[in-house]
PDB file of all heavy atoms in Angstrom:
ATOM      1  N   VAL A   1      89.155  13.920  56.742  1.00  0.00           N
ATOM      2  CA  VAL A   1      89.226  12.594  57.356  1.00  0.00           C
ATOM      3  C   VAL A   1      89.487  12.695  58.855  1.00  0.00           C
ATOM      4  O   VAL A   1      88.811  12.045  59.668  1.00  0.00           O
ATOM      5  CB  VAL A   1      90.327  11.744  56.683  1.00  0.00           C
ATOM      6  CG1 VAL A   1      90.535  10.432  57.441  1.00  0.00           C
ATOM      7  CG2 VAL A   1      89.954  11.455  55.233  1.00  0.00           C
ATOM      8  N   LYS A   2      90.455  13.512  59.233  1.00  0.00           N
ATOM      9  CA  LYS A   2      90.801  13.658  60.651  1.00  0.00           C
ATOM     10  C   LYS A   2      89.607  14.178  61.445  1.00  0.00           C
ATOM     11  O   LYS A   2      89.268  13.627  62.498  1.00  0.00           O
ATOM     12  CB  LYS A   2      91.982  14.615  60.787  1.00  0.00           C
ATOM     13  CG  LYS A   2      92.422  14.896  62.229  1.00  0.00           C
ATOM     14  CD  LYS A   2      93.142  13.733  62.844  1.00  0.00           C
ATOM     15  CE  LYS A   2      93.755  14.090  64.189  1.00  0.00           C
ATOM     16  NZ  LYS A   2      94.382  12.939  64.853  1.00  0.00           N
ATOM     17  N   THR A   3      88.974  15.232  60.953  1.00  0.00           N
ATOM     18  CA  THR A   3      87.835  15.804  61.656  1.00  0.00           C
ATOM     19  C   THR A   3      86.683  14.804  61.729  1.00  0.00           C
ATOM     20  O   THR A   3      86.029  14.659  62.770  1.00  0.00           O
ATOM     21  CB  THR A   3      87.358  17.092  60.963  1.00  0.00           C
ATOM     22  OG1 THR A   3      88.442  18.031  60.929  1.00  0.00           O
ATOM     23  CG2 THR A   3      86.194  17.713  61.707  1.00  0.00           C
ATOM     24  N   GLY A   4      86.435  14.084  60.640  1.00  0.00           N
ATOM     25  CA  GLY A   4      85.364  13.099  60.628  1.00  0.00           C
ATOM     26  C   GLY A   4      85.570  12.008  61.661  1.00  0.00           C
ATOM     27  O   GLY A   4      84.632  11.614  62.375  1.00  0.00           O
ATOM     28  N   ILE A   5      86.796  11.489  61.755  1.00  0.00           N
ATOM     29  CA  ILE A   5      87.094  10.448  62.743  1.00  0.00           C
ATOM     30  C   ILE A   5      86.851  10.960  64.158  1.00  0.00           C
ATOM     31  O   ILE A   5      86.223  10.293  64.981  1.00  0.00           O
ATOM     32  CB  ILE A   5      88.548   9.962  62.595  1.00  0.00           C
ATOM     33  CG1 ILE A   5      88.719   9.176  61.291  1.00  0.00           C
ATOM     34  CG2 ILE A   5      88.950   9.082  63.787  1.00  0.00           C
ATOM     35  CD1 ILE A   5      90.151   8.785  60.997  1.00  0.00           C
ATOM     36  N   GLU A   6      87.365  12.168  64.438  1.00  0.00           N
ATOM     37  CA  GLU A   6      87.244  12.706  65.790  1.00  0.00           C
ATOM     38  C   GLU A   6      85.784  12.922  66.175  1.00  0.00           C
ATOM     39  O   GLU A   6      85.377  12.655  67.307  1.00  0.00           O
ATOM     40  CB  GLU A   6      88.012  14.029  65.907  1.00  0.00           C
ATOM     41  CG  GLU A   6      89.489  13.960  65.527  1.00  0.00           C
ATOM     42  CD  GLU A   6      90.315  13.098  66.461  1.00  0.00           C
ATOM     43  OE1 GLU A   6      89.757  12.574  67.450  1.00  0.00           O
ATOM     44  OE2 GLU A   6      91.512  12.944  66.220  1.00  0.00           O
ATOM     45  N   VAL A   7      84.971  13.411  65.248  1.00  0.00           N
ATOM     46  CA  VAL A   7      83.559  13.652  65.539  1.00  0.00           C
ATOM     47  C   VAL A   7      82.838  12.336  65.834  1.00  0.00           C
ATOM     48  O   VAL A   7      82.059  12.226  66.796  1.00  0.00           O
ATOM     49  CB  VAL A   7      82.884  14.392  64.369  1.00  0.00           C
ATOM     50  CG1 VAL A   7      81.368  14.426  64.553  1.00  0.00           C
ATOM     51  CG2 VAL A   7      83.420  15.815  64.266  1.00  0.00           C
ATOM     52  N   VAL A   8      83.096  11.308  65.017  1.00  0.00           N
ATOM     53  CA  VAL A   8      82.449  10.008  65.219  1.00  0.00           C
ATOM     54  C   VAL A   8      82.854   9.412  66.566  1.00  0.00           C
ATOM     55  O   VAL A   8      82.008   8.892  67.319  1.00  0.00           O
ATOM     56  CB  VAL A   8      82.814   9.041  64.075  1.00  0.00           C
ATOM     57  CG1 VAL A   8      82.353   7.621  64.410  1.00  0.00           C
ATOM     58  CG2 VAL A   8      82.178   9.498  62.774  1.00  0.00           C
ATOM     59  N   VAL A   9      84.140   9.483  66.899  1.00  0.00           N
ATOM     60  CA  VAL A   9      84.635   8.928  68.158  1.00  0.00           C
ATOM     61  C   VAL A   9      83.969   9.615  69.348  1.00  0.00           C
ATOM     62  O   VAL A   9      83.578   8.970  70.327  1.00  0.00           O
ATOM     63  CB  VAL A   9      86.174   9.062  68.234  1.00  0.00           C
ATOM     64  CG1 VAL A   9      86.671   8.797  69.652  1.00  0.00           C
ATOM     65  CG2 VAL A   9      86.833   8.086  67.262  1.00  0.00           C
ATOM     66  N   VAL A  10      83.848  10.937  69.275  1.00  0.00           N
ATOM     67  CA  VAL A  10      83.210  11.685  70.366  1.00  0.00           C
ATOM     68  C   VAL A  10      81.752  11.260  70.530  1.00  0.00           C
ATOM     69  O   VAL A  10      81.282  11.019  71.655  1.00  0.00           O
ATOM     70  CB  VAL A  10      83.298  13.199  70.118  1.00  0.00           C
ATOM     71  CG1 VAL A  10      82.394  13.950  71.087  1.00  0.00           C
ATOM     72  CG2 VAL A  10      84.721  13.691  70.294  1.00  0.00           C
ATOM     73  N   LEU A  11      81.026  11.171  69.428  1.00  0.00           N
ATOM     74  CA  LEU A  11      79.616  10.802  69.504  1.00  0.00           C
ATOM     75  C   LEU A  11      79.428   9.420  70.120  1.00  0.00           C
ATOM     76  O   LEU A  11      78.566   9.220  70.982  1.00  0.00           O
ATOM     77  CB  LEU A  11      78.989  10.853  68.107  1.00  0.00           C
ATOM     78  CG  LEU A  11      78.828  12.243  67.491  1.00  0.00           C
ATOM     79  CD1 LEU A  11      78.285  12.131  66.070  1.00  0.00           C
ATOM     80  CD2 LEU A  11      77.910  13.117  68.343  1.00  0.00           C
ATOM     81  N   VAL A  12      80.240   8.465  69.705  1.00  0.00           N
ATOM     82  CA  VAL A  12      80.143   7.112  70.269  1.00  0.00           C
ATOM     83  C   VAL A  12      80.505   7.132  71.744  1.00  0.00           C
ATOM     84  O   VAL A  12      79.840   6.496  72.575  1.00  0.00           O
ATOM     85  CB  VAL A  12      81.065   6.139  69.498  1.00  0.00           C
ATOM     86  CG1 VAL A  12      81.071   4.766  70.172  1.00  0.00           C
ATOM     87  CG2 VAL A  12      80.606   6.002  68.049  1.00  0.00           C
ATOM     88  N   GLY A  13      81.558   7.870  72.092  1.00  0.00           N
ATOM     89  CA  GLY A  13      81.973   7.948  73.482  1.00  0.00           C
ATOM     90  C   GLY A  13      80.899   8.540  74.374  1.00  0.00           C
ATOM     91  O   GLY A  13      80.637   8.050  75.472  1.00  0.00           O
ATOM     92  N   VAL A  14      80.246   9.595  73.905  1.00  0.00           N
ATOM     93  CA  VAL A  14      79.178  10.238  74.679  1.00  0.00           C
ATOM     94  C   VAL A  14      78.001   9.284  74.853  1.00  0.00           C
ATOM     95  O   VAL A  14      77.421   9.178  75.938  1.00  0.00           O
ATOM     96  CB  VAL A  14      78.726  11.542  73.996  1.00  0.00           C
ATOM     97  CG1 VAL A  14      77.466  12.083  74.660  1.00  0.00           C
ATOM     98  CG2 VAL A  14      79.836  12.579  74.062  1.00  0.00           C
ATOM     99  N   LEU A  15      77.639   8.562  73.798  1.00  0.00           N
ATOM    100  CA  LEU A  15      76.536   7.609  73.888  1.00  0.00           C
ATOM    101  C   LEU A  15      76.831   6.494  74.886  1.00  0.00           C
ATOM    102  O   LEU A  15      75.914   5.946  75.510  1.00  0.00           O
ATOM    103  CB  LEU A  15      76.256   7.006  72.506  1.00  0.00           C
ATOM    104  CG  LEU A  15      75.642   7.957  71.474  1.00  0.00           C
ATOM    105  CD1 LEU A  15      75.539   7.271  70.110  1.00  0.00           C
ATOM    106  CD2 LEU A  15      74.262   8.443  71.934  1.00  0.00           C
ATOM    107  N   LEU A  16      78.102   6.174  75.076  1.00  0.00           N
ATOM    108  CA  LEU A  16      78.504   5.134  76.021  1.00  0.00           C
ATOM    109  C   LEU A  16      78.696   5.677  77.436  1.00  0.00           C
ATOM    110  O   LEU A  16      78.991   4.909  78.354  1.00  0.00           O
ATOM    111  CB  LEU A  16      79.798   4.465  75.549  1.00  0.00           C
ATOM    112  CG  LEU A  16      79.705   3.630  74.266  1.00  0.00           C
ATOM    113  CD1 LEU A  16      81.077   3.119  73.859  1.00  0.00           C
ATOM    114  CD2 LEU A  16      78.739   2.454  74.467  1.00  0.00           C
ATOM    115  N   GLY A  17      78.556   6.991  77.594  1.00  0.00           N
ATOM    116  CA  GLY A  17      78.679   7.569  78.926  1.00  0.00           C
ATOM    117  C   GLY A  17      79.960   8.320  79.180  1.00  0.00           C
ATOM    118  O   GLY A  17      80.223   8.716  80.322  1.00  0.00           O
ATOM    119  N   GLY A  18      80.758   8.538  78.149  1.00  0.00           N
ATOM    120  CA  GLY A  18      81.982   9.314  78.320  1.00  0.00           C
ATOM    121  C   GLY A  18      81.675  10.779  78.543  1.00  0.00           C
ATOM    122  O   GLY A  18      80.608  11.269  78.170  1.00  0.00           O
ATOM    123  N   THR A  19      82.600  11.475  79.164  1.00  0.00           N
ATOM    124  CA  THR A  19      82.402  12.899  79.452  1.00  0.00           C
ATOM    125  C   THR A  19      83.238  13.746  78.498  1.00  0.00           C
ATOM    126  O   THR A  19      84.321  13.346  78.068  1.00  0.00           O
ATOM    127  CB  THR A  19      82.810  13.224  80.898  1.00  0.00           C
ATOM    128  OG1 THR A  19      84.177  12.852  81.118  1.00  0.00           O
ATOM    129  CG2 THR A  19      81.937  12.475  81.880  1.00  0.00           C
ATOM    130  N   PHE A  20      82.702  14.922  78.211  1.00  0.00           N
ATOM    131  CA  PHE A  20      83.445  15.833  77.346  1.00  0.00           C
ATOM    132  C   PHE A  20      83.037  17.262  77.673  1.00  0.00           C
ATOM    133  O   PHE A  20      82.032  17.516  78.343  1.00  0.00           O
ATOM    134  CB  PHE A  20      83.182  15.524  75.871  1.00  0.00           C
ATOM    135  CG  PHE A  20      81.847  16.006  75.372  1.00  0.00           C
ATOM    136  CD1 PHE A  20      81.755  17.142  74.571  1.00  0.00           C
ATOM    137  CD2 PHE A  20      80.689  15.333  75.709  1.00  0.00           C
ATOM    138  CE1 PHE A  20      80.508  17.588  74.120  1.00  0.00           C
ATOM    139  CE2 PHE A  20      79.443  15.770  75.259  1.00  0.00           C
ATOM    140  CZ  PHE A  20      79.358  16.898  74.461  1.00  0.00           C
ATOM    141  N   GLY A  21      83.861  18.212  77.185  1.00  0.00           N
ATOM    142  CA  GLY A  21      83.583  19.624  77.381  1.00  0.00           C
ATOM    143  C   GLY A  21      83.825  20.373  76.087  1.00  0.00           C
ATOM    144  O   GLY A  21      84.022  19.773  75.028  1.00  0.00           O
ATOM    145  N   TRP A  22      83.849  21.695  76.181  1.00  0.00           N
ATOM    146  CA  TRP A  22      84.020  22.491  74.963  1.00  0.00           C
ATOM    147  C   TRP A  22      85.361  22.208  74.303  1.00  0.00           C
ATOM    148  O   TRP A  22      85.475  22.277  73.072  1.00  0.00           O
ATOM    149  CB  TRP A  22      83.901  23.983  75.280  1.00  0.00           C
ATOM    150  CG  TRP A  22      85.069  24.565  76.042  1.00  0.00           C
ATOM    151  CD1 TRP A  22      85.150  24.749  77.385  1.00  0.00           C
ATOM    152  CD2 TRP A  22      86.299  25.044  75.496  1.00  0.00           C
ATOM    153  NE1 TRP A  22      86.366  25.302  77.730  1.00  0.00           N
ATOM    154  CE2 TRP A  22      87.088  25.494  76.582  1.00  0.00           C
ATOM    155  CE3 TRP A  22      86.818  25.124  74.204  1.00  0.00           C
ATOM    156  CZ2 TRP A  22      88.373  26.019  76.412  1.00  0.00           C
ATOM    157  CZ3 TRP A  22      88.099  25.646  74.037  1.00  0.00           C
ATOM    158  CH2 TRP A  22      88.857  26.083  75.126  1.00  0.00           C
ATOM    159  N   ALA A  23      86.391  21.874  75.111  1.00  0.00           N
ATOM    160  CA  ALA A  23      87.707  21.592  74.533  1.00  0.00           C
ATOM    161  C   ALA A  23      87.686  20.322  73.687  1.00  0.00           C
ATOM    162  O   ALA A  23      88.436  20.199  72.713  1.00  0.00           O
ATOM    163  CB  ALA A  23      88.759  21.477  75.635  1.00  0.00           C
ATOM    164  N   THR A  24      86.838  19.369  74.053  1.00  0.00           N
ATOM    165  CA  THR A  24      86.691  18.149  73.246  1.00  0.00           C
ATOM    166  C   THR A  24      86.144  18.489  71.869  1.00  0.00           C
ATOM    167  O   THR A  24      86.637  18.010  70.845  1.00  0.00           O
ATOM    168  CB  THR A  24      85.745  17.158  73.940  1.00  0.00           C
ATOM    169  OG1 THR A  24      86.191  16.934  75.280  1.00  0.00           O
ATOM    170  CG2 THR A  24      85.712  15.834  73.197  1.00  0.00           C
ATOM    171  N   ILE A  25      85.118  19.331  71.855  1.00  0.00           N
ATOM    172  CA  ILE A  25      84.527  19.742  70.583  1.00  0.00           C
ATOM    173  C   ILE A  25      85.523  20.560  69.769  1.00  0.00           C
ATOM    174  O   ILE A  25      85.667  20.374  68.552  1.00  0.00           O
ATOM    175  CB  ILE A  25      83.246  20.561  70.835  1.00  0.00           C
ATOM    176  CG1 ILE A  25      82.227  19.713  71.595  1.00  0.00           C
ATOM    177  CG2 ILE A  25      82.657  21.057  69.515  1.00  0.00           C
ATOM    178  CD1 ILE A  25      80.996  20.477  72.019  1.00  0.00           C
ATOM    179  N   ALA A  26      86.236  21.469  70.454  1.00  0.00           N
ATOM    180  CA  ALA A  26      87.228  22.293  69.764  1.00  0.00           C
ATOM    181  C   ALA A  26      88.335  21.427  69.181  1.00  0.00           C
ATOM    182  O   ALA A  26      88.812  21.674  68.064  1.00  0.00           O
ATOM    183  CB  ALA A  26      87.816  23.319  70.730  1.00  0.00           C
ATOM    184  N   TYR A  27      88.733  20.397  69.913  1.00  0.00           N
ATOM    185  CA  TYR A  27      89.764  19.487  69.402  1.00  0.00           C
ATOM    186  C   TYR A  27      89.253  18.735  68.175  1.00  0.00           C
ATOM    187  O   TYR A  27      89.936  18.649  67.148  1.00  0.00           O
ATOM    188  CB  TYR A  27      90.170  18.494  70.481  1.00  0.00           C
ATOM    189  CG  TYR A  27      91.246  17.522  70.044  1.00  0.00           C
ATOM    190  CD1 TYR A  27      92.593  17.794  70.264  1.00  0.00           C
ATOM    191  CD2 TYR A  27      90.919  16.341  69.389  1.00  0.00           C
ATOM    192  CE1 TYR A  27      93.581  16.906  69.839  1.00  0.00           C
ATOM    193  CE2 TYR A  27      91.884  15.454  68.970  1.00  0.00           C
ATOM    194  CZ  TYR A  27      93.218  15.744  69.199  1.00  0.00           C
ATOM    195  OH  TYR A  27      94.186  14.867  68.763  1.00  0.00           O
ATOM    196  N   ALA A  28      88.036  18.174  68.287  1.00  0.00           N
ATOM    197  CA  ALA A  28      87.491  17.387  67.182  1.00  0.00           C
ATOM    198  C   ALA A  28      87.366  18.200  65.906  1.00  0.00           C
ATOM    199  O   ALA A  28      87.620  17.703  64.800  1.00  0.00           O
ATOM    200  CB  ALA A  28      86.126  16.818  67.578  1.00  0.00           C
ATOM    201  N   LEU A  29      87.000  19.464  66.034  1.00  0.00           N
ATOM    202  CA  LEU A  29      86.806  20.313  64.863  1.00  0.00           C
ATOM    203  C   LEU A  29      88.068  21.052  64.437  1.00  0.00           C
ATOM    204  O   LEU A  29      88.201  21.434  63.281  1.00  0.00           O
ATOM    205  CB  LEU A  29      85.696  21.336  65.137  1.00  0.00           C
ATOM    206  CG  LEU A  29      84.305  20.764  65.423  1.00  0.00           C
ATOM    207  CD1 LEU A  29      83.326  21.891  65.749  1.00  0.00           C
ATOM    208  CD2 LEU A  29      83.805  19.934  64.248  1.00  0.00           C
ATOM    209  N   GLY A  30      88.988  21.258  65.374  1.00  0.00           N
ATOM    210  CA  GLY A  30      90.149  22.100  65.087  1.00  0.00           C
ATOM    211  C   GLY A  30      91.442  21.402  64.768  1.00  0.00           C
ATOM    212  O   GLY A  30      92.285  21.944  64.051  1.00  0.00           O
ATOM    213  N   VAL A  31      91.642  20.172  65.264  1.00  0.00           N
ATOM    214  CA  VAL A  31      92.948  19.541  65.077  1.00  0.00           C
ATOM    215  C   VAL A  31      93.193  19.161  63.622  1.00  0.00           C
ATOM    216  O   VAL A  31      94.331  19.216  63.132  1.00  0.00           O
ATOM    217  CB  VAL A  31      93.094  18.312  65.997  1.00  0.00           C
ATOM    218  CG1 VAL A  31      92.268  17.139  65.507  1.00  0.00           C
ATOM    219  CG2 VAL A  31      94.563  17.916  66.147  1.00  0.00           C
ATOM    220  N   GLY A  32      92.141  18.791  62.892  1.00  0.00           N
ATOM    221  CA  GLY A  32      92.303  18.451  61.473  1.00  0.00           C
ATOM    222  C   GLY A  32      92.863  19.599  60.659  1.00  0.00           C
ATOM    223  O   GLY A  32      93.850  19.439  59.940  1.00  0.00           O
ATOM    224  N   PRO A  33      92.261  20.791  60.738  1.00  0.00           N
ATOM    225  CA  PRO A  33      92.818  21.944  60.027  1.00  0.00           C
ATOM    226  C   PRO A  33      94.250  22.280  60.450  1.00  0.00           C
ATOM    227  O   PRO A  33      95.041  22.717  59.617  1.00  0.00           O
ATOM    228  CB  PRO A  33      91.852  23.076  60.397  1.00  0.00           C
ATOM    229  CG  PRO A  33      90.546  22.386  60.622  1.00  0.00           C
ATOM    230  CD  PRO A  33      90.907  21.090  61.281  1.00  0.00           C
ATOM    231  N   VAL A  34      94.588  22.076  61.734  1.00  0.00           N
ATOM    232  CA  VAL A  34      95.963  22.345  62.180  1.00  0.00           C
ATOM    233  C   VAL A  34      96.928  21.385  61.498  1.00  0.00           C
ATOM    234  O   VAL A  34      97.995  21.779  61.011  1.00  0.00           O
ATOM    235  CB  VAL A  34      96.082  22.238  63.710  1.00  0.00           C
ATOM    236  CG1 VAL A  34      97.549  22.353  64.138  1.00  0.00           C
ATOM    237  CG2 VAL A  34      95.274  23.323  64.401  1.00  0.00           C
ATOM    238  N   VAL A  35      96.569  20.095  61.471  1.00  0.00           N
ATOM    239  CA  VAL A  35      97.415  19.109  60.790  1.00  0.00           C
ATOM    240  C   VAL A  35      97.540  19.465  59.316  1.00  0.00           C
ATOM    241  O   VAL A  35      98.637  19.439  58.741  1.00  0.00           O
ATOM    242  CB  VAL A  35      96.832  17.688  60.946  1.00  0.00           C
ATOM    243  CG1 VAL A  35      97.623  16.687  60.105  1.00  0.00           C
ATOM    244  CG2 VAL A  35      96.842  17.258  62.408  1.00  0.00           C
ATOM    245  N   GLN A  36      96.434  19.809  58.676  1.00  0.00           N
ATOM    246  CA  GLN A  36      96.430  20.157  57.253  1.00  0.00           C
ATOM    247  C   GLN A  36      97.355  21.335  56.979  1.00  0.00           C
ATOM    248  O   GLN A  36      98.115  21.337  56.011  1.00  0.00           O
ATOM    249  CB  GLN A  36      95.009  20.499  56.813  1.00  0.00           C
ATOM    250  CG  GLN A  36      94.858  20.824  55.337  1.00  0.00           C
ATOM    251  CD  GLN A  36      94.723  19.578  54.480  1.00  0.00           C
ATOM    252  OE1 GLN A  36      94.631  18.476  55.010  1.00  0.00           O
ATOM    253  NE2 GLN A  36      94.704  19.749  53.183  1.00  0.00           N
ATOM    254  N   ALA A  37      97.314  22.354  57.844  1.00  0.00           N
ATOM    255  CA  ALA A  37      98.162  23.528  57.658  1.00  0.00           C
ATOM    256  C   ALA A  37      99.631  23.185  57.879  1.00  0.00           C
ATOM    257  O   ALA A  37     100.509  23.666  57.154  1.00  0.00           O
ATOM    258  CB  ALA A  37      97.730  24.640  58.609  1.00  0.00           C
ATOM    259  N   THR A  38      99.908  22.342  58.866  1.00  0.00           N
ATOM    260  CA  THR A  38     101.286  21.986  59.178  1.00  0.00           C
ATOM    261  C   THR A  38     101.932  21.186  58.057  1.00  0.00           C
ATOM    262  O   THR A  38     103.134  21.293  57.808  1.00  0.00           O
ATOM    263  CB  THR A  38     101.341  21.180  60.485  1.00  0.00           C
ATOM    264  OG1 THR A  38     100.712  21.933  61.529  1.00  0.00           O
ATOM    265  CG2 THR A  38     102.784  20.888  60.892  1.00  0.00           C
ATOM    266  N   VAL A  39     101.132  20.371  57.362  1.00  0.00           N
ATOM    267  CA  VAL A  39     101.662  19.557  56.268  1.00  0.00           C
ATOM    268  C   VAL A  39     102.255  20.434  55.162  1.00  0.00           C
ATOM    269  O   VAL A  39     103.111  19.996  54.397  1.00  0.00           O
ATOM    270  CB  VAL A  39     100.556  18.637  55.721  1.00  0.00           C
ATOM    271  CG1 VAL A  39     100.973  17.969  54.417  1.00  0.00           C
ATOM    272  CG2 VAL A  39     100.218  17.575  56.746  1.00  0.00           C
ATOM    273  N   ARG A  40     101.844  21.679  55.087  1.00  0.00           N
ATOM    274  CA  ARG A  40     102.380  22.584  54.065  1.00  0.00           C
ATOM    275  C   ARG A  40     103.819  23.009  54.381  1.00  0.00           C
ATOM    276  O   ARG A  40     104.489  23.571  53.515  1.00  0.00           O
ATOM    277  CB  ARG A  40     101.495  23.830  53.955  1.00  0.00           C
ATOM    278  CG  ARG A  40     100.070  23.535  53.507  1.00  0.00           C
ATOM    279  CD  ARG A  40      99.220  24.796  53.487  1.00  0.00           C
ATOM    280  NE  ARG A  40      97.824  24.522  53.166  1.00  0.00           N
ATOM    281  CZ  ARG A  40      97.343  24.423  51.939  1.00  0.00           C
ATOM    282  NH1 ARG A  40      98.147  24.585  50.906  1.00  0.00           N
ATOM    283  NH2 ARG A  40      96.065  24.170  51.736  1.00  0.00           N
TER     284      ARG A  40
END
């Protein structure tokens, strides 16, 4: 769920003219697994 939300938000933001870099992609794909691991 977390990763899905972040990916959708990034795509919409880019289509509207927002800027992003590799860290944006890394955050969108990586923060969900970090949260999942921390919950343990």
Side-chain angles (χ1 to χ4, degrees):
V1 172
K2 178 73 171 176
T3 301
I5 291 174
E6 304 294 358
V7 170
V8 170
V9 167
V10 168
L11 291 176
V12 174
V14 170
L15 290 175
L16 293 176
T19 57
F20 76 104
W22 72 264
T24 307
I25 300 174
Y27 181 93
L29 298 177
V31 74
V34 173
V35 174
Q36 182 83 6
T38 304
V39 169
R40 297 177 185 275

